[in-house]
Amino acid sequence: MAREFTRVGVVGLGTMGAGIVEVFARNGVDVVAVEISPDALARGRATLTRSTDRAVARGRLAVADRDALHARVDFQVGLDALHAVDLVVEAVPERLDLKRRIFAELDRICRPDTILATNTSSLGVTDIAVATGRPQQVVGLHFFNPAPVMKLVEVVRTVVTAADVVDDVEALCTRLGKVGVTIDDRAGFIANALLFGYLNQAVSLFEARHVTREDLDAAMTLGCGLPMGPLALLDLIGLDTAYEILNTMYRHGGRNRRHAPAPLIRQMVTAGLLGRKTGRGFYTYDKPGSAQVVPDPATPTAVDDAPGTTAVTRVGVVGSGTTAADLAAVFAAAGHQVVAVGADGPAGTAGAVRTALDEGVTRDDPDPSGRDAALARITWADALEQLADVDLVLEATAGEPDTTRTLFARLDEVCKPGVVLATTTSTLPVIELAMATRRPADVLGLHFCTPVRARTLVEVVTTVRTSPEATATARAVCAALGRTTLVCDDRAGFVVDALLFPYLNDAVQMLAAGYAGVDDIDHAMTLGCGYPTGPFALLDAIGLDVALAVQRALYRESREPGLAPAPLLHHLVTAGHLGRAAGRGFREHTGR
C-alpha cells in the first residue's frame, strides 16, 4: 500500500510555491506553507488568495470549497514549523547553494521518515540530496506553472532514491489528479530540456534580425498552434530564470550548444530587462507584473509608402500532392481563377481538390453550391504552357532540387513578364530556384504552414534578389485569403521549421538515449507545456521522411552538431517506418 500523506509542507511561496500549496489543499491535504519572513509570507498568502478568487470568479471553484481550501493551509515563518509533516516540497529560487542549505536544515528538523522533495526545474536532484543524511528519501517533484492547471508532474529519482519513495510520490500525484512521469536525474529533465533549447534558438533568430519579435511569436502560435510565442513565453518565465536554467543545462548536460544561453539573453538580464516582472523584456508592459503589452519604439507601424502591387486574379498551382490540392482549393474558394497543373494529370488533381473542398475548405459556406462554384473556377491542365496568362504561380511539387530548378526555368519561359513565381518548399534554398530563371526579382517563397486548411500563417521568404514589389504582391494576395504573413530571409527552415524540427530532433535524441519513452515525452510537452501535440505524435503525422529531409537541410546549412539528424530518425526512415501514412512510425497506426 502506498503511503498516505495527510500533512505536507511547502517551502517558498512565490508563484510556483503558492500554486503547489493550492494543488495540495484543493485535494484535501493539510499544508504548512513556509516563508523566510512575515512580508514574504504575506505576499505568498496574497498570491494564493488571488488565484483561488479567480477560480471562483470563473466558476471553477465554489465559494465553500475555496474557504475550505484556505482553512487547510497553515502559514508559518521559518522551517521549524515543518517538524511534523509527512512530505516537504521545496520551491525556492534556482540556486544550488540556497537549496542545499534548506535541505540540510530540513534534514535536521523533519521526522526521520519524512520525504524531502525539490521542485527544481534544472538543478540536479542528486546535487541537492547530498546536503542531507537521508539522500534515499530525496526526490524531485517538478510541477509546471500554473500548478493548479497543468496536469504533469515530473517525478525525478536519483541513483539512491528508494523505490518505495518513488512509488509513494507517484501515488500522491494520482491522488492530486496529476499525471506523473518518472525519470532519472538529468539536467532539464524532459520538458525543460526540450522547451529551453527551442526558446534559446528563437532568441538567436531574433538576435540575428532574421525576423521581428511579433512575426517570430506569430510563427509559432499560428504556424504550429502553440499556446504562446517563444519571446512572449520567455517574458512570462523571466529572462533571469531562463538564463539560469539554460546555463545549468549547458554546464551539467554535456555542454550541448543548443543550451548555451544566447548572448542577447545575458545582455538583457544584465540590463534588468527580465520580462513581465520588471515591465520590460522582449516586449514592454503596462507596469511591472502586468500581462498587458503596450507599444514601444520596436512596435511595427503602418507604412504609407509601401511598394506597388500587381493585381492577381489568375493563379497557377503546379503539383499533385496534398499541399497542391489544398492550395488550389483555397484560392478557388476565395474567388480566384485557378489553373492546376498536376503530375498525375487532371483527373488525379481534380479528385484531390474535391476532397479538400469536401473536408472543409469552404466550411464557412457549407452550401454545396459554394463548393461547386469553387470547382468551376479551376481549370485542370497537364502542360505548363497553360500557365501563360496567370498572375501568380505556386510550385508545390516536392521534387528533387535539380527537377525543381528545371521547373522554374520552364516557368520563366512560359509565364508572362511580371508574374510572381513562388515556391512552397520547406527544404530548398529559394535563391537557387530564383537563379534558374532570368527574373530572380520575381521569385520568392510562399510557405503555407500545413495543414493548409487549419493553419493561417504564410511565410513570405525573400532572397537577396527578390523585389519589394513581388514581396508586396505576395503579402496582399495572402491577406486577401485571410492569412497572416511574416516576411523572413531565405535560410534553411525559414522560421517555423527552423524552430520546430530541431525541437523534434531533440526529442528523438532523448528517446534514443533511453532517458524516457514515447508516451512520457509526449505527455511532458502536452500536459507540462500546453503543446497541442506531443513531438512523436507530430512526427508521425508529418512523416518521418519529411522531418529527416528538413533536419538534413538545417544541418547542411549550419553544420551545427546539435542540428545533426538523430540516427534513430534515419534508421526508421530506412526501415520504411514513415509515420501515420505508412501505418508505423514511432507508434503503430491502424485504420489509416
Side-chain angles (χ1 to χ4, degrees):
M1 293 290 292
R3 179 176 177 179
E4 182 72 16
F5 295 96
T6 60
R7 189 170 179 82
V8 305
V10 176
V11 181
L13 303 181
T15 301
M16 197 72 234
I20 295 170
V21 169
E22 183 176 341
V23 169
F24 283 120
R26 269 180 181 251
N27 289 277
V29 181
D30 290 336
V31 185
V32 180
V34 171
E35 259 295 358
I36 193 171
S37 69
D39 287 345
L41 194 70
R43 288 192 296 270
R45 187 194 296 267
T47 299
L48 177 63
T49 299
R50 284 193 301 271
S51 177
T52 54
D53 286 350
R54 280 196 304 269
V56 169
R58 294 171 181 173
R60 297 173 181 170
L61 187 66
V63 172
D65 291 336
R66 177 198 61 190
D67 295 342
L69 184 159
H70 282 276
R72 295 188 190 103
V73 182
D74 179 15
F75 290 93
Q76 295 288 337
V77 173
L79 298 177
D80 287 339
L82 301 172
H83 65 279
V85 298
D86 305 312
L87 165 75
V88 177
V89 180
E90 164 273 313
V92 303
E94 292 286 273
R95 286 173 36 207
L96 182 57
D97 60 337
L98 174 60
K99 291 179 185 286
R100 279 179 168 171
R101 287 200 305 271
I102 289 173
F103 270 72
E105 280 295 292
L106 292 174
D107 186 34
R108 179 183 63 81
I109 292 167
C110 295
R111 296 192 320 250
D113 63 338
T114 299
I115 294 173
L116 307 181
T118 175
N119 185 59
T120 183
S121 59
S122 60
L123 298 172
V125 178
T126 306
D127 293 333
I128 297 169
V130 295
T132 76
R134 59 175 93 181
Q136 73 281 359
Q137 288 172 237
V138 178
V139 68
L141 274 182
H142 180 215
F143 291 80
F144 288 77
N145 190 33
V149 176
M150 305 307 287
K151 290 292 187 182
L152 184 78
V153 177
E154 290 177 316
V155 178
V156 186
R157 64 191 169 208
T158 74
V159 291
V160 296
T161 304
D164 62 325
V165 169
V166 175
D167 292 342
D168 289 344
V169 296
E170 286 176 338
L172 176 62
C173 290
T174 301
R175 175 184 171 186
L176 298 175
K178 303 294 186 181
V179 175
V181 172
T182 301
I183 48 179
D184 294 330
D185 187 18
R186 170 177 140 172
F189 314 136
I190 299 176
N192 279 353
L194 297 180
L195 175 65
F196 279 87
Y198 148 74
L199 295 177
N200 197 40
Q201 187 183 3
V203 175
S204 295
L205 282 184
F206 175 67
E207 186 174 16
R209 300 185 179 181
H210 179 55
V211 64
T212 67
R213 64 186 182 185
E214 287 83 4
D215 281 354
L216 179 55
D217 279 354
M220 304 315 289
T221 55
L222 300 179
C224 293
L226 300 187
M228 187 176 288
L231 301 185
L233 179 56
L234 281 164
D235 275 359
L236 174 62
I237 293 169
L239 272 71
D240 51 343
T241 301
Y243 180 80
E244 289 299 326
I245 291 173
L246 283 166
N247 204 33
T248 299
M249 288 195 296
Y250 176 71
R251 288 186 286 108
H252 298 286
R255 297 191 176 272
N256 183 343
R257 287 174 58 181
R258 280 180 54 73
H259 294 146
L264 181 58
I265 299 178
R266 179 183 56 78
Q267 294 164 15
M268 293 178 71
V269 170
T270 303
L273 306 177
L274 308 184
R276 289 188 188 182
K277 67 177 77 173
T278 58
R280 283 189 63 191
F282 289 103
Y283 296 91
T284 300
Y285 298 88
D286 181 50
K287 59 184 178 181
S290 171
Q292 181 181 348
V293 176
V294 297
D296 60 21
T299 301
T301 57
V303 179
D304 296 330
D305 57 348
T309 62
T310 301
V312 174
T313 57
R314 291 175 59 80
V315 176
V317 178
V318 181
S320 59
T322 300
T323 298
D326 285 353
L327 289 172
V330 165
F331 277 94
H336 292 277
Q337 296 295 320
V338 176
V339 179
V341 183
D344 294 337
T349 306
V353 173
R354 288 192 182 94
T355 298
L357 289 167
D358 287 340
E359 288 181 358
V361 171
T362 55
R363 61 171 56 88
D364 294 332
D365 181 16
D367 188 331
S369 63
R371 177 200 60 198
D372 296 340
L375 286 170
R377 287 190 283 270
I378 301 176
T379 299
W380 314 105
D382 53 12
L384 293 177
E385 284 73 15
Q386 290 175 264
L387 299 174
D389 293 327
V390 301
D391 307 306
L392 166 69
V393 176
L394 289 157
E395 172 273 320
T397 61
E400 294 297 319
D402 288 344
T403 303
T404 309
R405 281 191 289 267
T406 300
L407 171 60
F408 268 76
R410 287 283 294 124
L411 292 173
D412 182 33
E413 296 172 356
V414 167
C415 295
K416 63 188 179 183
V419 173
V420 174
L421 305 180
T423 175
T424 64
T425 184
S426 61
T427 57
L428 299 179
V430 179
I431 188 61
E432 291 187 8
L433 305 180
M435 297 311 294
T437 75
R438 294 163 297 177
R439 54 173 97 180
D442 296 332
V443 180
L444 47 68
L446 279 181
H447 182 222
F448 287 74
C449 293
T450 55
V452 173
R453 283 160 273 161
R455 301 287 184 224
T456 61
L457 184 79
V458 183
E459 293 173 300
V460 180
V461 186
T462 61
T463 75
V464 292
R465 298 290 297 271
T466 304
S467 70
E469 292 76 16
T471 303
T473 296
R475 296 193 72 176
V477 168
C478 293
L481 296 176
R483 304 293 168 121
T484 298
T485 59
L486 68 84
V487 177
C488 62
D489 297 331
D490 179 24
R491 55 169 287 170
F494 313 137
V495 177
V496 174
D497 286 356
L499 294 178
L500 174 64
F501 283 90
Y503 148 75
L504 297 175
N505 194 57
D506 286 348
V508 179
Q509 297 278 29
M510 183 178 288
L511 175 69
Y515 181 62
V518 167
D519 291 339
D520 284 348
I521 295 173
D522 274 1
H523 283 326
M525 302 313 294
T526 56
L527 302 179
C529 297
Y531 278 30
T533 309
F536 296 111
L538 184 55
L539 280 163
D540 277 2
I542 292 171
L544 275 64
D545 51 340
V546 174
L548 181 60
V550 174
Q551 197 62 36
R552 282 174 170 165
L554 294 170
Y555 179 63
R556 276 197 306 270
E557 181 175 270
S558 69
R559 298 299 175 180
E560 176 63 47
L563 296 182
L568 176 59
L569 186 61
H570 171 75
H571 295 162
L572 289 170
V573 171
T574 303
H577 298 172
L578 306 183
R580 186 177 296 278
R584 183 174 180 182
F586 288 98
R587 293 184 173 93
E588 297 279 351
H589 301 278
T590 59
R592 63 186 190 283

